[in-house]
Amino acid sequence: MSISTSTLTRGAAVAAALAGLAYIVIQFIHPADAVASLSTQRWVVVHILSFSEAVLALVGITGIYLRQVRQFGILGLIGYLMFGFFFILQSAFNFAEAFIAPLFVSDAPQISMDFVGLFGRYAAVTDLGPLAALPQVGALLYIGGALLFGIAVIRARLLSRGAGILLIAAAAATPIAGALLPHALERMAAVPMGLALVWLGFSLFSDQRLNTAARRVNANEAHLDSAVK
């Protein structure tokens, strides 16, 4: 059984939408970045969900990029690579948060806290080496990648321009929320980003349905023409 390009693209659309929904839900159920949370089942479940969201998002934006690869140009390629590398980084970090950090929380609670608190704006007590640069690298990839990707979506004019605008707005709101809000409220800045992913996924899925319908019409017309001749 062969798998068509249209089927793969629709799968990527569903992945993008699911990633966006998961990203939104996570913000409301994420436990506090505290030592006590690391030994709970909720911590593991939330970070497995976060890991899954990152993988789905990577699949989703890849499908979105490939659908518009000719129109995206260099700017879109850079945006896709930056955004994609962010989700790779996120998946690796979430995996470590879910399965590695809880393993040594009893013997080395401070190291565990410093590690999981990297993106929670907590000052690390222990020397984490190159890991200390992760928040800055992640922010650059996330904000820069989303901005460029959103601009490329708008310029391509194939998928919803509104979704591209929302993606740009969500990326721009992230550093503002980080500067003005405590971390617990800063998480809510991820909600519009999740909505943008859902919207892009829906737009890609709708685009594929229209393309499939158009191909069927053209095939039927060609068949009728050949029958007449």
Side-chain angles (χ1 to χ4, degrees), residues 125-142:
V125 176
T126 52
D127 182 7
L128 297 175
L131 290 176
L134 282 181
Q136 291 75 29
V137 174
L140 175 63
L141 295 175
Y142 180 77

Side-chain angles (χ1 to χ4, degrees), residues 69-109:
V69 63
R70 294 181 181 178
Q71 294 82 3
F72 255 38
I74 298 298
L75 181 72
L77 174 61
I78 295 172
Y80 164 69
L81 291 175
M82 291 180 69
F83 213 20
F85 275 122
F86 167 76
F87 289 119
I88 293 173
L89 175 64
Q90 182 194 357
S91 64
F93 189 76
N94 288 150
F95 183 89
E97 284 186 301
F99 299 109
I100 298 176
L103 294 178
F104 51 87
V105 65
S106 298
D107 297 327

Side-chain angles (χ1 to χ4, degrees), residues 48-65:
I48 290 175
L49 181 61
S50 297
F51 171 81
S52 302
E53 169 265 315
V55 174
L56 288 170
L58 181 60
V59 173
I61 67 167
T62 299
I64 293 166
Y65 170 73

Side-chain angles (χ1 to χ4, degrees), residues 34-44 102 105-106:
V35 173
S37 300
L38 268 66
S39 57
T40 64
Q41 189 64 32
R42 181 179 176 183
W43 177 272
V44 175
V105 65
S106 298

